[in-house]
Amino acid sequence: MKKLLLGNEAVAAGLYEAGVKVVSSYPGTPSTEVTEFAAKYDEIYCEWAPNEKVAMEVAFGAAVAGARAFCAQKHVGLNVAADPLFTASYTGVNAGMVILVADDPGMHSSQNEQDSRHYAQASKIMMLEPSDSDECLKFIKLAFELSERFDTPVILRETTRIAHSRSLAETGERVEPDNKEYTKNPQKYVMAPANAKVKHIVVEQRILDQTAFAEKEAVEIGLNKVEYYSKKIGVITAGVCYDYAKEALGDKASYLKLGCLYPLPVQLIKDFAAQCETVYVIEELDDYIETHCLKNGINVRGKADFTLIGEYSQSLIAKVVLGEEKPTIKADIDIPVRPPVLCAGCPHRGLFYALKKAGVETVTGDIGCYTLGASKPIGMIDTCLCMGASVSSLHGRNKANPEKANKTVAVIGDSTFIHSGVTGLINIAYNKSNSVSIILDNSITGMTGHQQNPTTGYTIKGDPTSAVSLEKLAVAVGIPESNIFVCDPYNLTDSEQAVRKALDCDGPAVVISRRPCALLKYVKHNPPLSVDKEKCVGCKMCMRIGCPAISIKDGKAQIDSTQCLGCDVCSQLCKPGAIG
Amino acid sequence: MNKSVMIVGVGGQGTLLASRILGAVLLKKGYNVKLSEVHGMSQRGGSVVTYVKYGDEIASPIIEKGEADIILAFEQLEAARWLEYMKPDGKVIVNTQKIDPMSVVIGDAVYPDGVIDAIKAAGADVLELDALPVAVEAGSPKAVNVVLIGAMAKHTGIEKETWLEAVRECVPAKFLDLNIKAFELGYNI
């Protein structure tokens, strides 16, 4: 039956139909919903892992044991999982294993714009890329067949516009495969040098076999697709760029749509290019297909006409290829930007203010909603690199600049801390660092849309489970118990005191700023606050915390009752006591 | 003939529900549909946009400059921000509610005066309405999205009953009466 499915929802439907039994992932926009939707099927064992490396190894273990298995991550998550990725290429699988990676051209919700197609080439692992939800569903099923046939993990690559677009997809029934038998085979599964040397030869032969598949069979089954219309223009493309090119050029061009991105065919591209007058490679991010064409002596136009930066679109393609632009109208006013902000009632806000009050000058930040603490008027975050880097780089800073250690802290969320902050904290304790790490424990993985994690006490299916005690974990890694402080970020005095005490400690210290995300359904809110206009002196102290519910009208503060959650942080700043 | 609708607003205003209702209506009418939304960090109080395209065959899931037939704006500044994406003869349906961006709140920028006049001066066909009090009348300020969907429904040539069916499918049962009322009030503006 045809349904209007989000790309990620269609992938989950494909997992169900393919008889997948084990799914393990770490959330990351735009990949998160695949695992959330997969968790709705009772037939699939589904979990959130502490990080992408663990998730991929869980999937690997399940596949080798004989059950079809899957893990999903965003592009930067694949960096974390790169270690198992490269060697799983050598061992191969038993039952099928598919790895989803979601790239984010245009960086809607990411810290870089890396092109994961390079991972397929570098790890020598087959990669497929769909162009709409129907292909998400079909390709994920095909990926499992190819994984088993070629004895390799297979990567399914999405980009944001495929992952987060809804289009029609044909759904079907689940085919429940029996587990494949596992037999001991150290030559295959133990990648010590002697075995790995043999396996590398197998991998190179596999690429030759897969290239032959990409040349012919992939065309027969519609994975690689040739469409001839006008041969004046030829377009070699893949993924969402195929959609953009079709909309921009219609039957003014012919198309070679590549569904198999690694390995790429050679003869198929040569034959297509030979039929067309001018051939464009249209691909977002790097010149991956273009380089392959040029290396094989195929004359194509690509990045010299297009760009390495950001998303493509039908209008970009129409402009570059046809020189056409659509007429537009414009409002003749200056429109202020509207970047995202910390929500009204966000517990991070109070902690950031406490840092300021405690005289903190430098804050190493991490990946999560609290990155927004870099924006004005809070403006506290100095760095944001990757998951866990706040804690580890704080240690580096403090070793380089020990005299500033009592003015410098790291902030990291609960989920990010478990993901890879804890290893940095072990380093701090082990290497005797005088560093203050602050865990912003909002009891959920927030920015990706509320996923459970090992600190929350619930699984992805909502079942109660053990919860990591952050206090005990800190003690266990070597932080003295007397150097661990817990505060409620809604209480500014309490939070400031906790930060001051931690900064005054001799040796490493940890502050746990604990208050659940205000958007969690179980969190009860206080009635909205309001401003007593008589008492308000217009000092704008309440504006310093950057709460979207507060604004100034006619020189006095006002609070938007539809947004205010009554967190009371602003009223603690109001000296005349006008807010209540 | 393919049609394009952009739903724009501020993260948290409920634009995603509005696009889901529209998507459900279009499916019922047998159209091919593509919707594109952005999740994640951009949701938190930032400028948000959803693209809805329908017709016989839809290739690209996104709408580009000069392509939208209708812009449904949940906030006036957002209507102005995305106006370039509309066809010059398209229609803007705009909620006159103003939400200050943080840059305005902290005094780094000003919320311009005469936003809707500027949109009209650009030559756009504008339908303006103040959806917030209507939503409050329906029972909750959060129903602004369904009021606006109601207001747009009248201009799509698709019969009201199909819209009501879609609203019933897309909203939680406990808020159904409120949302039906919000839709009706919007439709009758």
Side-chain angles (χ1 to χ4, degrees), chain A residues 225 252 260 321 365 472:
Chain A
K225 208 160 64 174
K252 291 178 191 150
C260 182
V321 178
K472 286 183 184 162

Side-chain angles (χ1 to χ4, degrees), chain A residues 56 88 152 207 272 365 417 439 481 500 510:
Chain A
M56 190 178 288
T152 173
I207 295 167
F272 174 78
F417 179 72
I439 305 172
E481 208 165 344
R500 283 188 186 278
V510 167

Side-chain angles (χ1 to χ4, degrees), chain A residues 338-354:
Chain A
R338 194 190 296 275
V341 292
L342 291 175
C343 305
C346 176
H348 302 327
R349 184 174 284 110
L351 192 277
F352 280 124
Y353 187 78

Side-chain angles (χ1 to χ4, degrees), chain A residues 144-294:
Chain A
F144 278 100
E145 287 171 29
L146 295 171
S147 169
E148 288 171 6
R149 172 168 155 193
F150 290 108
D151 188 16
T152 173
V154 172
I155 302 172
L156 187 85
R157 181 204 189 216
E158 294 180 322
T159 55
T160 303
R161 297 299 184 180
I162 297 301
H164 286 170
S165 289
R166 289 169 196 272
S167 60
L168 292 173
E170 183 80 41
T171 58
E173 297 300 314
R174 178 173 170 94
V175 179
E176 195 76 54
D178 291 332
N179 274 15
K180 289 185 187 288
E181 196 177 332
Y182 167 75
T183 36
K184 236 184 217 314
N185 186 351
Q187 286 77 23
K188 175 166 163 54
Y189 295 120
V190 180
M191 283 304 97
N195 294 337
K197 282 176 187 170
V198 178
K199 286 301 282 186
H200 187 188
I201 299 164
V202 173
V203 168
E204 296 303 333
Q205 180 57 46
R206 185 176 76 206
I207 295 167
L208 296 179
D209 296 344
Q210 288 175 338
T211 306
F213 164 85
E215 297 280 9
K216 191 159 178 288
E217 202 183 325
V219 180
E220 289 161 9
I221 61 172
L223 179 62
N224 289 337
K225 208 160 64 174
V226 183
E227 296 172 27
Y228 286 117
Y229 305 99
S230 166
K231 293 185 178 174
K232 275 193 166 326
I233 300 165
V235 172
I236 302 168
T237 188
V240 76
C241 287
Y242 167 75
D243 303 330
Y244 297 152
K246 284 283 281 205
E247 183 143 328
L249 308 173
D251 57 11
K252 291 178 191 150
S254 294
Y255 304 88
L256 171 57
K257 175 188 179 296
L258 297 166
C260 182
L261 273 292
Y262 186 81
L264 287 166
V266 177
Q267 198 56 44
L268 181 67
I269 300 177
K270 275 189 178 161
D271 291 348
F272 174 78
Q275 295 277 326
C276 303
E277 272 179 43
T278 308
V279 181
Y280 290 91
V281 172
I282 301 182
E283 55 184 332
E284 286 173 332
L285 304 181
D286 292 343
D287 49 356
Y288 171 82
I289 301 172
E290 184 184 352
T291 302
H292 171 80
C293 291
L294 297 178

Side-chain angles (χ1 to χ4, degrees), chain A residues 33 166 247 315 338 341, chain B residues 35 39 44 53 64 78:
Chain A
E33 301 83 3
R166 289 169 196 272
E247 183 143 328
S315 56
R338 194 190 296 275
V341 292
Chain B
L35 270 97
H39 304 194
R44 314 262 175 251
K53 298 173 79 168
E64 271 289 300
E78 296 310 307

